[in-house]
Amino acid sequence: QKEVEQNSGPLSVPEGAIASLNCTYSDRVSQSFFWYRQYSGKSPELIMSIYSNGDKEDGRFTAQLNKASQYVSLLIRDSQPSDSATYLCAVLDTGNQFYFGTGTSLTVIP
Amino acid sequence: NAGVTQTPKFRILKIGQSMTLQCTQDMNHNYMYWYRQDPGMGLKLIYYSVGAGITDKGEVPNGYNVSRSTTEDFPLRLELAAPSQTSVYFCASTTTGADEQYFGPGTRLTVT
């Protein structure tokens, strides 16, 4: 059974702070990793994808991948109340299947 | 460009009834997926398809069936509905299978 683990939270940060979200995965041969944001009652939407070790930055978001440690993270800088949502980590295996974590609930306090 | 559309948005079924959840995408994506999301949980893959005429089981396929006769449509069939199938169902699609998934708005299903 392939697993993707996230801290369920809830995680609360003040507006303007850095939010740090973490994810570990069990399938060592996974190559593609994704962070989705899901607002309550809505469908997931892609925030970041990362395929290589290291950091990938897109605006206020930075994804970090360490394949040796089977660890992927998402940093949100200058957090805004509109960032309040559940963040889902997803891992693609070699067989075309995506595995999702249970999500981390983030609340940004104004 | 409507993206991924799903119908119905909501449905209540009695135990033992059957229904089909519809999913259509207009982006010419080869890969399509069906997920279920239980409250407070992540998404679990039910079935997926890599192209018309090709389907395969995901993590939780029991109690469901799919077909993929066209690139655009990927219906999910529930036979003999059970309370354990109460969930929110999302359909998604991608171009290559290794990139961003585009999700439909979801179908909220209750089985009582």
Side-chain angles (χ1 to χ4, degrees):
Chain A
Q1 178 78 7
K2 296 174 185 177
E3 300 205 341
V4 178
E5 302 277 349
Q6 294 181 253
N7 290 332
S8 61
L11 175 65
S12 293
V13 300
E15 184 173 354
I18 295 175
S20 177
L21 307 166
N22 303 316
C23 173
T24 59
Y25 58 95
S26 64
D27 187 2
R28 183 169 291 277
V29 299
S30 297
Q31 295 295 318
S32 304
F33 307 87
F34 306 85
W35 283 99
Y36 286 84
R37 177 176 63 199
Q38 186 176 28
Y39 293 114
S40 181
K42 301 296 186 182
S43 54
E45 54 181 341
L46 184 72
I47 298 295
M48 295 280 287
S49 58
I50 187 165
Y51 305 97
S52 305
N53 278 330
D55 295 359
K56 179 181 177 182
E57 188 174 316
D58 184 1
R60 296 186 295 111
F61 299 94
T62 299
Q64 299 173 317
L65 175 61
N66 183 327
K67 291 184 181 178
S69 300
Q70 295 173 238
Y71 174 88
V72 58
S73 66
L74 179 70
L75 298 177
I76 307 174
R77 290 182 301 281
D78 188 23
S79 295
Q80 301 297 308
S82 59
D83 295 326
S84 298
T86 296
Y87 289 79
L88 301 169
C89 174
V91 176
L92 177 64
D93 75 358
T94 54
N96 297 314
Q97 295 199 29
F98 288 86
Y99 292 86
F100 283 79
T102 55
T104 298
S105 175
L106 172 66
T107 300
V108 180
I109 303 165
Chain B
N1 212 349
V4 181
T5 57
Q6 292 183 238
T7 56
K9 286 188 169 55
F10 303 94
R11 183 72 186 269
I12 299 174
L13 279 183
K14 294 191 185 308
I15 294 171
Q17 287 185 321
S18 301
M19 75 165 294
T20 299
L21 282 67
Q22 301 292 345
C23 175
T24 300
Q25 54 89 11
D26 62 359
M27 298 174 283
N28 202 33
H29 286 172
N30 285 323
Y31 291 74
M32 296 187 74
Y33 309 83
W34 273 107
Y35 294 93
R36 60 176 287 172
Q37 186 176 33
D38 298 331
M41 303 294 286
L43 286 80
K44 296 287 188 184
L45 183 63
I46 304 171
Y47 270 94
Y48 67 100
S49 170
V50 302
I54 306 169
T55 63
D56 212 341
K57 295 179 181 179
E59 253 185 297
V60 290
N62 292 343
Y64 307 94
N65 276 301
V66 294
S67 59
R68 184 96 183 270
S69 56
T70 67
T71 299
E72 294 78 21
D73 300 306
F74 190 40
L76 178 71
R77 177 83 177 161
L78 278 72
E79 305 281 3
L80 299 175
S84 60
Q85 293 178 304
T86 294
S87 191
V88 179
Y89 291 83
F90 289 103
C91 179
S93 70
T94 74
T95 49
T96 68
D99 56 357
E100 175 181 4
Q101 293 185 81
Y102 293 84
F103 284 86
T107 294
R108 188 174 297 273
L109 175 68
T110 302
V111 182
T112 61

